[in-house]
Amino acid sequence: MKSKWAQGILAAAIALGLTAVEWTRSRPAMSAEYLQIGLGLFSLSVPIADLETFAATGEVPDTLDTYIDYLSPQARSQLQEALTRNVEISPVAISQMTYSALGEDFLNRLGNIVQTPAGINGNQAMRAALILAAADPEGFSILKVFQYFPTAGIHVDVGELLALEREMGTYFSYRDTSLAAIAAQSDREVAATAQGLSEDVPDLRQPGIVAFNQTTLTLRNQFSGIPAATPRRFEVDIYLPETPATAVPLVIISHGLGASRADFATMAQHLASYGFAVAVPDHPGSDTNYQREFLANLAYEGLDPLEFVYRPWDVKSIIDALAANPTYAQVLDLNHVGVIGHSFGGYTALALGGAPLNQSRVAANCNPVEYVLNLSTLLQCRAIELPLADYDLTDERVTAVMAYSPVTSVLLGPESVAQVQTPVMMVTSSSDFVAPAVPEQIHPFIWLETAEKHLATFLSASHVAINGEVDFSDQVEVAPQVSSLLTGPDPTLSTSYAHALNVAFMGFYLSDRPEYEQFLGAAYAAEFLSEPPVALTVINSLTAEQLEATFGDEPPIPIYPDPVSPERAVH
C-alpha cells in the first residue's frame, strides 16, 4: 500500500500544473530541464519533458510511472485535463501585477516555495518566466513558465507548499463550517416563526409604483475640526418622489473603492420607486479615477489616508446641505436617515452609525501588514498613515445602516463595532476574496451588540455582487474570467436580493412600516427569495459558540482578536 505521505508530496508537486495548457514546441536557449521536489532530506527530480509528454498524450513515461501510479484514474484524468486547459492571460496585466508593490510582495512569498536549484528565493526568475510565458504566441501555461524559467532547474520546497496548503485548507474549512452554522441557524429561525408568511406576499425585488425625479447637486465638504483636511467639492444624485408627502425618508448610498455613484443608480431608482428619497454621492479620491490608478499599479499607496475620514463627512455634508435647502428640508425626514454602503462604503456606513475609527487596532495589525487570505487588509492598513486624532465620524441623524461586504476587521475591530447602536444589516458574500466573509462580516456581526441586527448571506456570490452585470473591459486588460470572479455566478439574481432587502430594511426602520418586519426574517429569504445558483439566508442571531461548535476546534481566525490598548496607536 502506497503511503499517504508520498502521495501528498506528488499531489503537491502536480498542483503546480493545475492552470496549464498544452506544451509542444521548441524551447528557448535558457530553459528549465527538470522540476526538483524537496521535503527535508527527501528529494526527487522530474524531467519537465516527461510532464509535457503526459500532458499532450496521456501516456506516462517511465520516469513518471512510479509517481503517477499514486493517483487514482479519476485524478490522473483530471490532471491531464488541467494540464491541457487553455488559459488566456494578458502579458500587460502580468507585467503590471509583478512590478507593483502588491505583486512584488506576492512574488517574494511565492519565491519561498518555488526556488532556484541553489535554494534561493525564486521571485526574480518567476517574474521573468511569467511575463515571457504570457507573451508567448501559443498562450500562457505553467509548462510555458517552466520553459522560460531562466535556470536549469526549478526547486519546489514541498514543506513550504504543504504548510501553505494546510493554512488555506484550515481557513476554507472554517469558512465552510461557519456558513453551515448560519444555515442551521436559518433553519431554526424558520421553524420558530410563529406564523407563516401571509398569503399575498409582495415581491420586493420588483420596482414599486412611485414616480420620482432625479437631479444632481454639487456640494462642498467643510470637514469641521479635522486636522489636515482640505475642503472638497463632490457631486451627488438626488432621487425624490414626484409628489412627496412630508417626512419622506432619506437613504444615502456610499459606493466602494474605485466605484462611482453611477454604479448604484439602479439601486437608488429601485428604492425611489417605493417612495424613498435617495442620495448617491461620488467620493472624490476613492472613486472610479482612483480605480484606474490602482489597476495600473496594483498598490494602495496612492490612496490618501484621510479618505477614511473624508467619506463619512461627505455623507454628513449631504444631510447638512439638504437641511439648509428649503426645497428638501420641508419634505424630508432628516433626523432619521438610512445609509447603505458597499465595501469601503460599508465601513463608511458603520462609522456614521457609531463605530469610531480604531487607530489602536490599525497600529496593532498593520506593522507588518498580513494579507495572505484577506486582500482588504491592504486597504485598511492605509489608515496607519492617518494623523492621530479623535475623528468625529458618527452622525446621530443616521438611524439605520446596511453594510454590504464591509471592511471592518482592522479599521474597526470588536471595540468599535460594539458601539453601533442603530439597527444594522450586515450582508456577506461567501466567495468574496477581496473582503472575505468570515473576518470582515461574519465575526463582526457577532461583535454587534445592538438588539436590532440582521445577517444576510449570498452563497456563491463574490465582492461585486449587487450591481448587476459589471463590465471591467474598459478599465484594465484582464482575462474574461475576472468579471465572474468578482461578481459570482448570477449577479442579476444577487442584485435582486439586494433590492428586496433594501426596501424591507429601510421600510421597517425608516418608514414605520411594521408589516415589513416579516421580510427581514429567515422565512422570507429561504421560502420566497432564495433560488439557484445564489442561495440567500437571513438570520437575526449568531454566537461565537455556534461557530466553534460547528468547526469542532479552536477557529484558525480568533472570533474575538486580542484586545488592543490606546498606546498601540502611537506612531
Side-chain angles (χ1 to χ4, degrees):
M1 180 177 179
K2 300 177 175 66
S3 73
K4 292 183 178 179
W5 177 76
Q7 185 172 358
I9 293 174
L10 179 65
I14 291 175
L16 292 172
L18 291 181
T19 57
V21 295
E22 183 178 3
W23 164 288
T24 53
R25 303 294 196 274
S26 61
R27 300 174 179 274
M30 177 60 74
S31 172
E33 299 288 342
Y34 62 90
L35 185 66
Q36 183 181 8
I37 304 163
L39 180 60
L41 298 177
F42 177 84
S43 179
L44 61 89
S45 182
V46 177
I48 291 176
D50 289 350
L51 284 177
E52 300 163 14
T53 300
F54 172 72
T57 67
E59 297 179 6
V60 181
D62 293 341
T63 55
L64 286 178
D65 183 63
T66 302
Y67 313 125
I68 296 293
D69 191 42
Y70 282 104
L71 301 178
S72 66
Q74 181 181 7
R76 187 181 305 183
S77 176
Q78 290 173 344
L79 173 61
Q80 185 189 9
E81 179 185 354
L83 288 169
T84 56
R85 187 180 302 129
N86 187 27
V87 177
E88 295 296 330
I89 297 179
S90 162
V92 175
I94 289 288
S95 179
Q96 288 175 336
M97 181 186 73
T98 56
Y99 278 102
S100 69
L102 175 59
E104 287 182 354
D105 192 33
F106 172 77
L107 284 175
N108 285 334
R109 294 168 188 240
L110 181 62
N112 289 328
I113 299 172
V114 182
Q115 306 170 355
T116 69
I120 298 173
N121 187 297
N123 53 1
Q124 300 299 321
M126 183 61 70
R127 169 187 285 138
L130 286 168
I131 294 174
L132 291 171
D136 191 287
E138 295 178 1
F140 177 90
S141 75
I142 203 67
L143 291 177
K144 287 285 186 187
V145 173
F146 293 159
Q147 177 185 10
Y148 287 107
F149 206 90
T151 60
I154 305 171
H155 177 76
V156 178
D157 188 324
V158 177
E160 292 280 351
L161 184 62
L162 292 179
L164 178 61
E165 181 186 25
R166 283 192 298 271
E167 178 184 352
M168 295 183 66
T170 303
Y171 176 90
F172 288 113
S173 175
Y174 178 54
R175 181 201 64 180
D176 292 344
T177 59
S178 297
L179 295 172
I182 291 171
Q185 177 64 21
S186 174
D187 291 341
R188 283 190 288 269
E189 292 187 15
V190 170
T193 303
Q195 59 184 15
L197 297 174
S198 60
E199 294 183 0
D200 187 21
V201 178
D203 188 351
L204 301 182
R205 295 171 296 184
Q206 300 302 317
I209 61 173
V210 177
F212 55 88
N213 295 312
Q214 185 264 322
T215 188
T216 301
L217 303 178
T218 300
L219 303 182
R220 186 176 178 85
N221 191 332
Q222 298 291 350
F223 305 114
S224 175
I226 297 177
T230 303
R232 68 178 183 184
R233 294 185 180 277
F234 64 98
E235 292 188 332
V236 55
D237 289 339
I238 305 291
Y239 300 80
L240 189 67
E242 282 188 355
T243 55
T246 57
V248 176
L250 172 66
V251 178
I252 300 175
I253 302 176
S254 176
H255 65 71
L257 180 67
S260 71
R261 68 186 195 276
D263 295 325
F264 289 85
T266 301
M267 179 180 287
Q269 292 163 8
H270 190 86
L271 278 164
S273 73
Y274 279 86
F276 296 94
V278 187
V280 192
D282 273 334
H283 294 292
S286 56
D287 58 3
T288 306
N289 291 328
Y290 175 77
Q291 182 189 64
R292 294 191 181 96
E293 179 181 342
F294 172 75
L295 290 173
N297 300 293
L298 290 177
Y300 287 101
E301 282 81 353
L303 180 72
D304 186 346
L306 280 168
E307 198 65 23
F308 297 100
V309 178
Y310 288 166
R311 286 172 142 265
W313 272 82
D314 287 343
V315 175
K316 288 171 175 279
S317 298
I318 293 171
I319 304 174
D320 290 343
L322 296 179
N325 186 320
T327 301
Y328 296 104
Q330 293 175 5
V331 298
L332 299 181
D333 179 1
L334 297 176
N335 291 316
H336 300 89
V337 176
V339 178
I340 298 173
H342 173 250
S343 191
F344 201 0
Y347 150 78
T348 305
L350 291 166
L352 287 158
L357 181 62
N358 193 339
Q359 289 187 281
S360 297
R361 184 154 293 282
V362 169
N365 284 266
C366 297
N367 191 20
V369 181
E370 292 291 340
Y371 72 92
V372 174
L373 298 174
N374 187 352
L375 289 176
S376 76
T377 303
L378 289 165
L379 165 63
Q380 297 181 67
C381 283
R382 286 295 295 148
I384 200 170
E385 301 297 331
L386 269 174
L388 289 176
D390 185 14
Y391 297 107
D392 180 19
L393 306 183
T394 299
D395 195 311
E396 293 183 354
R397 296 168 294 184
V398 174
T399 59
V401 167
M402 295 186 73
Y404 286 86
S405 301
V407 291
T408 62
S409 62
V410 175
L411 288 169
L412 303 177
E415 302 87 355
S416 292
V417 171
Q419 297 184 48
V420 177
Q421 295 303 311
T422 66
V424 174
M425 175 172 279
M426 197 86 74
V427 186
T428 185
S429 295
S430 67
S431 298
D432 190 338
F433 67 94
V434 177
V438 170
E440 299 303 327
Q441 297 98 44
I442 295 176
H443 286 179
F445 177 76
I446 295 175
W447 302 340
L448 285 166
E449 295 183 2
T450 176
E452 298 167 310
K453 65 178 185 178
H454 314 270
L455 176 65
T457 304
F458 294 178
L459 289 169
S460 300
S462 189
H463 190 65
V464 187
I466 59 172
N467 299 110
E469 298 288 348
V470 182
D471 182 10
F472 298 96
S473 61
D474 63 339
Q475 298 166 8
V476 68
E477 190 176 359
V478 295
Q481 295 90 339
V482 167
S483 179
S484 61
L485 185 64
L486 286 169
T487 61
D490 191 341
T492 301
L493 181 60
S494 50
T495 296
S496 74
Y497 295 162
H499 288 175
L501 294 174
N502 293 346
V503 173
F505 183 85
M506 294 302 176
F508 182 68
Y509 288 111
L510 290 186
S511 300
D512 193 22
R513 299 281 298 273
E515 69 273 19
Y516 275 16
E517 184 175 16
Q518 65 175 324
F519 307 132
L520 297 175
Y524 183 68
E527 299 175 4
F528 188 83
L529 292 180
S530 183
E531 60 182 271
V534 182
L536 171 67
T537 62
V538 176
I539 59 175
N540 300 325
S541 176
L542 188 68
T543 66
E545 291 74 19
Q546 287 174 278
L547 296 190
E548 291 168 347
T550 308
F551 185 60
D553 199 352
E554 183 177 347
I557 307 171
I559 297 175
Y560 282 92
D562 292 338
V564 293
S565 61
E567 289 76 14
R568 293 298 299 270
V570 177
H571 59 267

